[in-house]
Each structure stands twice: as C-alpha cells, then as structure tokens.
Amino acid sequence: NLALFGKRPSSVYHPYLQIQFVEDKQEFSRFPTKAGRRSLSRSISQSSTDSYSSAASYTDSSDDETSPRDKTQLNSKGTSDFCVKNIKQAEFGRREIEIAEQDMSALISLRKRAQGEKPLAGAKIVGCTHITAQTAVLIETLVALGAQCRWTACNIYSTQNEVAAALSEIGVAVFAWKGESEDDFWWCIDKCVNMEGWQPNMILDDGGDLTHWVYKKYPNVFKKIRGIVEESVTGVHRLYQLSKAGKLCVPAMNVNDSVTKQKFDNLYCCRESILDGLKRTTDVMFGGKQVVVCGYGEVGKGCTAALKAMGSIVYVTEIDPICALQIGFRLGFFSGLLGNKNVVTRDQLDRMKNGSIVCNMGHSNTEIDVASLRTPELTWERVRSQVDHVIWPDGKRVILLAEGRLLNLSCSTVPTFVLSITATTQALALIELYNAPEGRYKQDVYLLPKKMDEYVASLHLPTFDAHLTELSDEQAKYLGLNKNGPFKPNYYRYNHPSKIPLNDTQISDLCTIYLQWIPTATAYMFSLVQSS
C-alpha cells in the first residue's frame, strides 16, 4: 500500500498552457480560448490513454460502450464459448503474446521439455488471474501440456482486451474485459465454472475469489477438485482459514510464499512497476516528494527502494518488529502501522494535503477505505483512465488511482521476465498436484517443495549466461547434501545483505570476523564487494 503526499505539479493538473512554435520561437498563451482549452484537454486525455501500452488497452478509446455480455461474438472456428470486449482484436493480442514469449524463455523451455509427455493430460483447469500477455504464455503452456482451460480475471481493471481476444481465438474460454462492474466480475467467474458437460478438477487462483465462489456455490464440484494453486497473499490467507476451520477438502499449494515468488516477483516486479504506474497516471516528479509506504514486506521493500532512488523522502509504517528493524537499517526511521483492511482510513484521507496521490500495491481494494469516499459531500471527477480526483467541500483534491485497486497491473505493465519466474512456478505446482500419488498431499496448504524452487531458478539462469558450480562428491558428503539439490533447508531465508548500508565500524568488524575464518582470497573478494 502506498500513499504519496506532496504539492501537485502544475504541469500535470493545470494543463492550461499552450506552446506554439512560430519561426522557431516559443510563444506562451496562459489563457487560451474555450475552444482551445477543449481541444487541448481532449488531446491530453487521448494521449493519456491511447499512448498507454497494452495494460491500459490502446484500443479502449475506439470501442463502443456495449457490454460484452450483450454481444454475440464468434471466433474464426465458429465457437462462442467466451465473452471478451472485441474478438476482432485477436491479431493485436497475438503480437503482444509473441513479444512476451521473447522474455519468458524459461516457461517456453518447460513447455518444450514436457510437451511430449503431456503431464496435464486430462486436467481441466479453471483460472482466475490477471489476463495479460504474460499470463497468456502460461495458459498456452498449460494447453500445450495437455490441459483444458477456462479463464477469468481476478481484477476488473487489469485485463488486456486484445490478449483476451487472442486466447479466445485459439479456443480458450475466456470471460473477462477491462472495466468490468462488480456484477460482471462474479458473472464471469460463474460462466467459467458452470459449464454443461465440463467440470474443473484443478484451480489456479490469484486472490481466492474463484476458490471462494466454487466452495460456496458449487460444493460438490469443490470436493472433486484435485488441487488448488494460489498466487496471492490474500488468497493464501483464505486457504489457511479454510484449513484451520477443517473446511478445506482438497490439497492446496501456496505459491505466494515460495522463494521464487517472494524474492523476485514481489520484490523486483514492484520495484520497477510502482514508478511506471505512477508516471503513466499522474506524470508526477518523484524528487523531493514525501512518500508514506505502509508495510515493509517484499513488496514494500521494492517500492521503497524505487521511490528512494528517485529522490523521494520515504517514510515506512510497520507492525512487525523484525521488518521494522530492517527499515531502521535501511532508511533510518520508521513507525508501526499495517493491516489488510482500512490501512488508509477516511480520517487520514481527510487530513491529507491538497494534491496528494493515493494508490494501492496490494491485491484487493480493501487496503484503502474507498467506500467512505462515496458520500454526497465529496465529488468524484474522472481525469483520465484510472485517475480520479476526489474533491472535498473546501476544494481540496486527492488523486486516487485505479479506485484503490492494484496500481501496477491496473495502470501500467509489469516486467515480463519476473512474471516468467512466477508463471513457471505456477505451472510446476499444477503439474505436481495433478500428478502426485494418492496420500502425498493431504487436505491442507503446502509450500512449494524447495527442489521445485531451485528448478525454476535454474531454468532462468541461461538468460544471464550463468553456469552453476557443481559440488564434488567429497564436498557433497561433507555438507550432507545431494549434488543435485535441494541445497537449502525449507527454513532458510534468502536475504539481501547488500542492500543494508554498513558504516565503517561495521565493515571493519565484519572483515575481522571473515579474516579469522576464511582464506585470504575470499577475504579479498569480500573487500572488493564492500568497496563497490
């Protein structure tokens, strides 16, 4: 979660300056005519949506306003088992998917290695995730491995319409479009699950909404599910609640807490996409802004690092003393506050400065108390796609992004390579649960086996032209390890010590310790790392 405080830049929120080039001279007209203002406003609003990449769907502005539920569409094969914005966008979506494939070589490699074996033959997977080009590569991989798939979106704003069309064109039953209503959202989930003559036996979820729907509305179907794979912390919490209550009657895999998801997707993906989302929606300059980041998990670490690097003054709130201590090492100041509901309250929103930007990097829309802003005394003004001004009676404006929903996938894109890591992890989790012999997994929530985490990482190493060193038989025996892994116990935490700034005394103390116990050559390498 992130609330950004600061004075709004006039170049963004008062676009009433025209620049005219006359004989190589710039002439400024501070107060253009009404017609000029309308023209300028229209050109700005168009550029703010049309120039977006696929995440904001560059085709949205030309689409009609008819709900996809009211349309009858056929793909080139003559089938209509889908509901997307416009099936004619399939060609554009195919290009998006092809671009994503170039940076998802590990997932493509997994597809090629296992395609002949068809490890998912007979699997009927119903999925509820963000529908993006990267997800499409995952879905097509599952299909290539033998699965039948039906898919819907876990976020009403994150669907790339052209990608949904491309998947529908090849026969994947997709029910999703960008800008769904709440009613549309649950209708799409139901259409995926409730299909005559087709019953899912695997669930791939992001947020737990699909799992919750099947559990509540189709209990007989839920009991026959062979496995659930959950990606988000929200969905994982729901699964653990079901397990604790004794109501989880199928095994589930917690992908969110796998090393490859936590240490790469949650950290690096958010570190890059937080800036992308804020820039695309607000054109804000980060230098000098005061930023409050609520929570210092992997997502919070990534967001904090990115904003601090751009020159923002970052404050972090936490409830966990261990995470708070990490903040103290890395930033030097911290306070305690966090939750998964109403993290940013109406009282806090009332006290924010004029022009403050409020956005959410959590999965659901409960972190910010958006419902409290929908009152008669406050005015909502849509500025551009996914950007609203909430106006107080005294004229104060707070800029709310994506109506409090996930910023990066609602307003921008995310790094494809990092998503390849998560997608490969999801694919392996599905294969593991579907093919596991009876009795291996009970009706509980499991972490991904460490061996699979390491396999996912190894598939991505060729991208960096990296080659692993192999233990000798003597070394493996001495350490009590298998030469092929796993190399770390399940309780091992992969930290980022290089991100903790050390003072001269700390560096000297650490060097003294290392010099006592390690060879001279290694000590020399350590000193080089610290000096760099």
Side-chain angles (χ1 to χ4, degrees):
N1 313 307
L2 183 147
L4 192 149
F5 304 84
K7 186 176 180 181
R8 58 186 180 183
S10 58
S11 61
V12 179
Y13 301 107
H14 296 289
Y16 302 127
L17 299 179
Q18 279 189 326
I19 301 177
Q20 297 177 338
F21 295 91
V22 182
E23 297 179 355
D24 295 329
K25 294 175 67 177
Q26 296 185 9
E27 296 184 2
F28 297 86
S29 174
R30 181 172 291 276
F31 300 105
T33 63
K34 289 184 178 179
R37 283 199 298 270
R38 286 196 298 270
S39 174
L40 181 61
S41 176
R42 182 166 60 250
S43 66
I44 290 175
S45 64
Q46 286 175 344
S47 65
S48 70
T49 55
D50 295 350
S51 63
Y52 280 9
S53 75
S54 55
S57 196
Y58 52 81
T59 50
D60 282 352
S61 59
S62 62
D63 287 337
D64 61 65
E65 296 301 319
T66 305
S67 169
R69 292 170 61 175
D70 300 328
K71 298 178 182 178
T72 300
Q73 302 183 76
L74 298 175
N75 62 17
S76 61
K77 300 179 179 64
T79 62
S80 60
D81 185 23
F82 61 88
C83 190
V84 299
K85 187 71 173 179
N86 188 350
I87 190 63
K88 294 179 181 178
Q89 297 176 1
E91 183 181 348
F92 295 102
R94 179 51 50 190
R95 296 174 190 170
E96 293 275 3
I97 296 169
E98 290 171 353
I99 292 173
E101 287 178 341
Q102 296 174 18
D103 214 15
M104 300 182 78
S105 56
L107 191 58
I108 299 299
S109 174
L110 176 65
R111 183 192 299 183
K112 292 178 179 178
R113 291 186 188 188
Q115 193 166 3
E117 302 173 10
K118 300 289 183 185
L120 291 175
K124 297 180 178 180
I125 303 172
V126 59
C128 182
T129 65
H130 301 283
I131 297 182
T132 62
Q134 296 83 5
T135 306
V137 179
L138 169 61
I139 295 170
E140 293 185 350
T141 297
L142 299 178
V143 172
L145 300 185
Q148 298 177 33
C149 296
R150 298 176 68 82
W151 228 263
T152 187
C154 67
N155 186 300
I156 63 175
Y157 294 129
S158 64
T159 298
Q160 294 177 230
N161 287 332
E162 53 274 17
V163 171
L167 289 170
S168 301
E169 173 61 30
I170 64 169
V172 178
V174 175
F175 296 84
W177 59 93
K178 187 179 181 69
E180 299 169 7
S181 66
E182 289 287 341
D183 180 65
D184 292 333
F185 175 78
W186 294 111
W187 179 86
C188 288
I189 289 180
D190 194 69
K191 290 291 288 185
C192 273
V193 178
N194 187 18
M195 161 89 175
E196 186 177 353
W198 192 91
Q199 182 172 302
N201 53 24
M202 297 291 293
I203 291 177
L204 177 57
D205 209 353
D206 185 349
D209 290 322
L210 172 60
T211 302
H212 175 78
W213 186 262
V214 178
Y215 170 75
K216 287 290 186 180
K217 194 165 184 180
Y218 302 100
N220 291 331
V221 173
F222 190 76
K223 292 175 183 177
K224 296 178 182 178
I225 295 292
R226 294 177 62 170
I228 300 170
V229 175
E230 174 56 55
E231 177 184 359
S232 77
V233 64
T234 304
V236 166
H237 281 321
R238 290 180 172 183
L239 287 173
Y240 280 122
Q241 288 170 354
L242 282 176
S243 177
K244 187 176 181 180
K247 298 178 180 179
L248 184 63
C249 55
V250 297
M253 195 73 78
N254 171 6
V255 169
N256 179 74
D257 291 316
S258 65
V259 175
T260 44
K261 174 71 165 60
Q262 282 281 328
K263 299 299 179 182
F264 297 94
D265 192 337
N266 292 14
L267 177 68
Y268 296 114
C269 176
C270 295
R271 190 174 71 181
E272 297 195 15
S273 60
I274 179 69
L275 302 179
D276 190 17
L278 287 168
K279 280 288 188 183
R280 293 193 197 205
T281 50
T282 66
D283 305 318
V284 68
M285 180 176 178
F286 296 104
K289 292 295 185 297
Q290 297 184 66
V291 182
V292 176
V293 176
C294 302
Y296 203 64
E298 298 303 323
V299 173
K301 288 178 175 69
C303 294
T304 298
L307 292 162
K308 189 168 182 283
M310 293 297 289
S312 299
I313 303 166
V314 184
Y315 301 84
V316 183
T317 66
E318 243 312 331
I319 62 167
D320 186 326
I322 295 176
C323 292
L325 185 59
Q326 290 179 312
I327 300 168
F329 266 102
R330 301 178 188 187
L331 294 180
F333 44 83
F334 54 85
S335 60
L337 170 68
L338 186 64
N340 59 6
K341 184 178 181 181
N342 294 340
V343 179
V344 180
T345 64
R346 173 61 189 271
D347 177 64
Q348 293 165 339
L349 291 163
D350 286 338
R351 290 187 282 117
M352 287 183 184
K353 294 180 180 179
N354 180 48
S356 295
I357 301 169
V358 182
C359 64
N360 180 23
M361 284 292 284
H363 173 80
S364 58
N365 63 339
T366 58
E367 287 87 351
I368 301 170
D369 188 10
V370 177
S372 69
L373 299 177
R374 300 190 184 278
T375 55
E377 74 272 13
L378 300 183
T379 302
W380 284 59
E381 180 182 84
R382 176 55 56 96
V383 181
R384 55 172 67 163
S385 179
Q386 311 306 325
V387 183
D388 289 292
H389 281 180
V390 183
I391 307 171
W392 268 250
D394 63 357
K396 183 189 81 170
R397 294 174 180 236
V398 167
I399 297 96
L400 180 64
L401 305 183
E403 297 185 20
R405 295 178 184 271
L406 182 61
L407 171 70
N408 53 6
L409 281 159
S410 296
C411 302
S412 63
T413 57
V414 291
T416 299
F417 180 75
V418 172
L419 288 192
S420 173
I421 298 174
T422 299
T424 306
T425 305
Q426 290 171 308
L428 286 174
L430 286 167
I431 293 171
E432 169 67 14
L433 284 178
Y434 184 70
N435 292 280
E438 187 175 353
R440 176 180 291 179
Y441 297 106
K442 297 180 174 60
Q443 300 167 352
D444 205 349
V445 184
Y446 293 85
L447 289 172
L448 195 73
K450 181 71 69 173
K451 182 67 176 175
M452 287 191 188
D453 262 328
E454 293 177 352
Y455 181 61
V456 171
S458 69
L459 287 174
H460 289 82
L461 289 178
T463 302
F464 304 102
D465 195 24
H467 305 277
L468 289 172
T469 302
E470 184 176 333
L471 290 171
S472 66
D473 293 337
E474 183 180 5
Q475 289 172 323
K477 183 179 179 180
Y478 178 79
L479 294 174
L481 297 176
N482 187 309
K483 292 176 64 174
N484 299 316
F487 299 98
K488 299 289 189 297
N490 288 331
Y491 58 79
Y492 184 82
R493 295 292 180 265
Y494 297 77
N495 294 319
H496 304 273
S498 62
K499 294 191 179 294
I500 301 177
L502 302 177
N503 57 40
D504 292 339
T505 302
Q506 290 170 320
I507 293 174
S508 176
D509 290 343
L510 284 174
C511 285
T512 301
I513 294 170
Y514 271 74
L515 286 169
Q516 291 175 350
W517 296 101
I518 56 180
T520 304
T522 308
Y524 178 68
M525 292 179 63
F526 176 79
S527 66
L528 289 179
V529 170
Q530 287 294 334
S531 63
S532 65

